[in-house]
Each structure stands twice: as C-alpha cells, then as structure tokens.
C-alpha cells in the first residue's frame, strides 16, 4: 500500500508491508502507526482471510474511506484501492500473490 501523510510519519512514498493481521492507527502498538490527530488509536484493521485482504473500520470517530466511500462493514481490497484515514492516504498495492505480496505506500501530504 502507499501512504500519503501531511504529518510526515510515515513519509510519503514509504512502502509498508502488511502482516496477516494489520492494525492501522495512532497507538504506539499499531502495526502501521499514523501521526494524525484525526486517526483513532485503533482506527482500522486489514486482515488476510479466505485468500483475500479485508479492510474494516474499528468504529473510529472520523471513519475510514475506501475509494472515497465510507467503510460500513468489512470489504475486500483490490490492488490500487485508496484508503483514507484522517488526512492520510494509503494505496493498496500488490507485488506477486498471497498474504506476503501486499503493501501500503504513502501517497500525499
């Protein structure tokens, strides 16, 4: 995935490999930590299940957008999808196949 972030961390263009259970948020314990005041401590989860990557908002205060649409329930991710959390924009990218083949890259500030 590709990350875009006005707060600077992670830096724009940074590739972030996904774990089979990835937590995105502001908490220090998050797999992908976002320094964004609009991100919740545990904002969203990306998980590998049933041979696919899934995105779920964790009842965050400001919500999670997928390709500009609010995520209301678990949704399957596809290569090139854009995930927006606060002012951070992430692009879901595929490099090969399987659970190890996806990453997030920082897109913009």
């Amino acid at each position: 995935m590709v990350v875009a972030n006005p707060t600077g961390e992670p830096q724009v263009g940074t590739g972030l490999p996904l774990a089979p259970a990835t937590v995105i948020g502001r908490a220090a314990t998050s797999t992908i930590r976002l320094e964004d005041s609009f991100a919740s401590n545990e904002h969203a989860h990306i998980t590998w299940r049933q041979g696919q990557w899934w995105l779920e908002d964790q009842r965050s205060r400001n919500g999670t957008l997928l390709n500009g649409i609010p995520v209301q329930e678990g949704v399957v991710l596809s290569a090139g999808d854009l995930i927006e959390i606060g002012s951070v924009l992430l692009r879901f990218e595929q490099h090969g196949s399987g659970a190890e083949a996806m990453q997030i890259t920082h897109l913009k500030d």
Side-chain angles (χ1 to χ4, degrees):
M1 292 188 180
V2 177
V3 180
N5 184 358
T7 62
E9 286 300 325
Q11 293 182 350
V12 172
T14 302
L16 306 166
L18 296 175
T22 297
V23 176
I24 302 172
R26 215 173 40 191
T29 56
S30 295
T31 313
I32 296 174
R33 187 166 186 265
L34 304 178
E35 293 182 14
D36 185 300
S37 60
F38 292 102
S40 299
N41 283 329
E42 192 170 311
H43 197 98
H45 289 177
I46 297 176
T47 55
W48 176 257
R49 62 179 191 263
Q50 301 169 346
Q52 301 178 94
W53 287 102
W54 291 76
L55 171 67
E56 296 174 276
D57 182 76
Q58 296 301 296
R59 299 185 196 162
S60 62
R61 181 181 309 176
N62 296 306
T64 301
L65 300 179
L66 179 64
N67 300 319
I69 300 169
V71 174
Q72 303 296 324
E73 57 187 36
V75 60
V76 174
L77 290 169
S78 298
D81 279 347
L82 297 176
I83 301 165
E84 190 171 345
I85 295 176
S87 59
V88 177
L89 184 62
L90 310 166
R91 184 172 59 222
F92 188 69
E93 296 182 339
Q94 186 167 358
H95 303 282
S97 61
E100 310 79 35
M102 289 297 192
Q103 69 173 19
I104 291 180
T105 308
H106 191 166
L107 286 178
K108 70 171 184 171
D109 289 340

